[in-house]
Amino acid sequence: MKRNLYTIIGLCALTVMLGACHKDKQTTPSDPNTGETFSVTGDQVGRPGIATVFIAAADKDNFNATIPSMMNAAYGAKIQTQLTALNPGYTTNLLGLSAAQFTGVLATDVLNVSTTGTTTYYDGTNVLTGRKLTDDVIDVSLILIFGGPTNAANPTLTSDHVDANDKAFLTAFPYEAAPW
Amino acid sequence: MKKSKLIIASAAMVLVLGGGILWASDHADAPNTKGKTTDITDLYVFQGANTNDLVFVGNVQGLLSPTATQTAAFDENTLIEFKIDNNGDNVEDLVIQCVYKGGKMYIYGPVKPSQTGTSSTIVGTASVVVPVTAYGASTPVTVTSSTGIMAFAGPRDDPFFFDLDQYHKIIAGTAPGFNNPGHDTFAGTNVMSVVVEVPKSLLNSTGKMGVWLRTAQKN
């Protein structure tokens, strides 16, 4: 009786193995994920804070499901409305952009990256050429939203006075600090 | 047991953070992703210590306390994908796909995707496979492929910093501006992080590119 049971278990194991082998042959034997499809939208981010600041609560999930090439058409007007609601006195910003021009930059939520030189969100010289771990992206965003053409407007709103991370970054890969 | 701990930790976090997050880079940003393994916190792309390389950092599952980090894990059902546009049309020309399986992060590409848009299929075989670094490990586990792609996956300190609480008060109309010095709301919290350093020569770039980070799940 016991021996029969072992035989049955053995046959089952063999069947499972053969089945698995057969399935593997249809894809790639050495790779467990090749050909797998992930089609249920999760989250999507280009630049820091775009969805969170400029997209209304009711639109957030739809914004995550919108491909970047469609974002400007779908959300440009709403983003400009939100920009001028946050700062009713908006004229231009430090980059010299009008509300409409700044909206044009914001609406397509893609991080611009230079592959030939300095990579930074903004360092006083280079604008939107990447995003370093040390970049104070919040202050950059606050300055561009509230600071006006010379960063003299709304002085209490243009820096959160948190200028660096709570742990030092590493100089070598993987760059981020060990967890707390 | 683990799950109940996680729920308690999450509940505590909600209490601490109060009435929702207005601006936390992208932490807990949208209702459909909040508290899930698909929830992206931040994307970083920068030149590596070797200036011939570009580094892609994709962080998910933010606001993890040290206790919550002990049980935090990547999800085999969630793809973490960097999308790269090389010609300025905001449509991806290359992808770097990261899939967790059996304690390891499998990283595919950079490679031309089989289709663009919201459905992603894993292309080819992994360029590099890196064991996930355990919480509490003394050194991060990294692997470099024969093509020079470096990879890391595991918990790290959240590199994002912001006085979110004060911003919250400003938006709510209960404070006129920021404090000096401010207080980093993200101090002492962790994220689950994937870091991929890629030789620029593998990115087909003409000098500028657009990058975005996307998560998706299996149907």
Side-chain angles (χ1 to χ4, degrees):
Chain A
M1 189 61 191
K2 211 172 184 182
R3 186 168 291 173
N4 276 348
L5 199 63
Y6 283 137
T7 309
I8 288 165
I9 290 169
L11 280 173
C12 285
L14 194 65
T15 310
V16 168
M17 274 169 64
L18 285 173
C21 287
H22 181 66
K23 200 181 171 193
D24 277 353
K25 271 180 191 165
Q26 290 177 330
T27 57
T28 310
S30 60
D31 197 291
N33 304 304
T34 299
E36 295 276 4
T37 295
F38 297 79
S39 58
V40 181
T41 289
D43 204 350
Q44 182 170 258
V45 177
R47 302 195 193 103
I50 300 296
T52 338
V53 176
F54 292 105
I55 302 299
D59 287 336
K60 284 185 196 294
D61 285 320
N62 283 332
F63 187 72
N64 276 337
T66 304
I67 56 173
S69 57
M70 301 296 288
M71 283 175 176
N72 200 350
Y75 291 98
K78 288 180 175 180
I79 288 172
Q80 188 168 338
T81 302
Q82 177 67 5
L83 172 64
T84 49
L86 281 170
N87 181 5
Y90 189 97
T91 52
T92 61
N93 65 15
L94 197 59
L95 300 177
L97 301 175
S98 68
Q101 288 168 330
F102 189 33
T103 299
V105 174
L106 296 170
T108 302
D109 189 15
V110 168
L111 183 67
N112 310 76
V113 179
S114 168
T115 54
T116 55
T118 305
T119 44
T120 179
Y121 206 62
Y122 179 63
D123 64 2
T125 308
N126 303 283
V127 183
L128 294 176
T129 59
R131 182 183 178 190
K132 294 195 308 284
L133 295 171
T134 51
D135 284 338
D136 192 347
V137 297
I138 291 298
D139 278 14
V140 173
S141 305
L142 292 170
I143 288 167
L144 295 180
I145 294 167
F146 295 109
T150 61
N151 192 25
N154 302 306
T156 61
L157 297 176
T158 49
S159 175
D160 69 340
H161 303 290
V162 178
D163 301 329
N165 191 36
D166 55 334
K167 270 197 176 188
F169 297 117
L170 316 180
T171 53
F173 192 84
Y175 307 104
E176 293 178 308
W180 288 95
Chain B
M1 186 62 191
K2 275 184 180 173
K3 203 169 184 182
S4 67
K5 260 189 190 168
L6 198 67
I7 289 166
I8 291 166
S10 309
M13 201 76 75
V14 169
L15 285 177
V16 169
L17 292 169
I21 291 173
L22 281 168
W23 186 359
S25 197
D26 205 73
H27 303 65
D29 152 70
N32 281 356
T33 61
K34 198 170 182 176
K36 295 185 183 170
T37 58
T38 49
D39 188 15
I40 296 171
T41 64
D42 279 285
L43 163 70
Y44 301 81
V45 185
F46 54 92
Q47 196 163 258
N50 175 346
T51 56
N52 293 320
D53 293 349
L54 217 51
V55 182
F56 296 80
V57 176
N59 291 342
V60 297
Q61 304 185 48
L63 299 163
L64 295 168
S65 69
T67 307
T69 312
Q70 290 171 16
T71 51
F74 290 107
D75 181 355
E76 296 192 353
N77 199 36
T78 295
L79 166 68
I80 299 168
E81 187 176 37
F82 299 94
K83 304 246 195 188
I84 300 166
D85 166 35
N86 274 326
N87 57 12
D89 63 359
N90 300 310
V91 176
E92 61 272 36
D93 300 299
L94 293 173
V95 292
I96 300 170
Q97 303 173 313
C98 311
V99 184
Y100 175 66
K101 193 94 169 183
K104 294 173 181 168
M105 190 62 76
Y106 289 72
I107 293 162
Y108 302 79
V111 64
K112 187 180 189 302
S114 57
Q115 76 267 37
T116 65
T118 55
S119 180
S120 299
T121 299
I122 304 305
V123 184
T125 53
S127 305
V128 55
V129 180
V130 62
V132 170
T133 298
Y135 182 63
S138 54
T139 52
V141 180
T142 64
V143 174
T144 306
S145 76
S146 58
T147 53
I149 301 171
M150 271 185 270
F152 164 86
R156 298 310 271 176
D157 161 58
D158 188 344
F160 186 61
F161 49 92
F162 179 33
D163 191 343
L164 173 66
D165 293 337
Q166 191 64 20
Y167 179 78
H168 209 162
K169 287 178 192 165
I170 294 166
I171 293 296
T174 59
F178 288 103
N179 296 320
N180 191 3
H183 174 259
D184 180 6
T185 309
F186 298 84
T189 69
N190 300 319
V191 292
M192 295 300 286
S193 184
V194 181
V195 188
V196 186
E197 180 161 337
V198 181
K200 290 176 180 175
S201 58
L202 299 178
L203 294 167
N204 301 340
S205 177
T206 53
K208 278 195 240 174
M209 53 188 212
V211 183
W212 62 104
L213 180 65
R214 206 168 172 276
T215 54
Q217 293 200 298
K218 289 179 192 170
N219 206 340

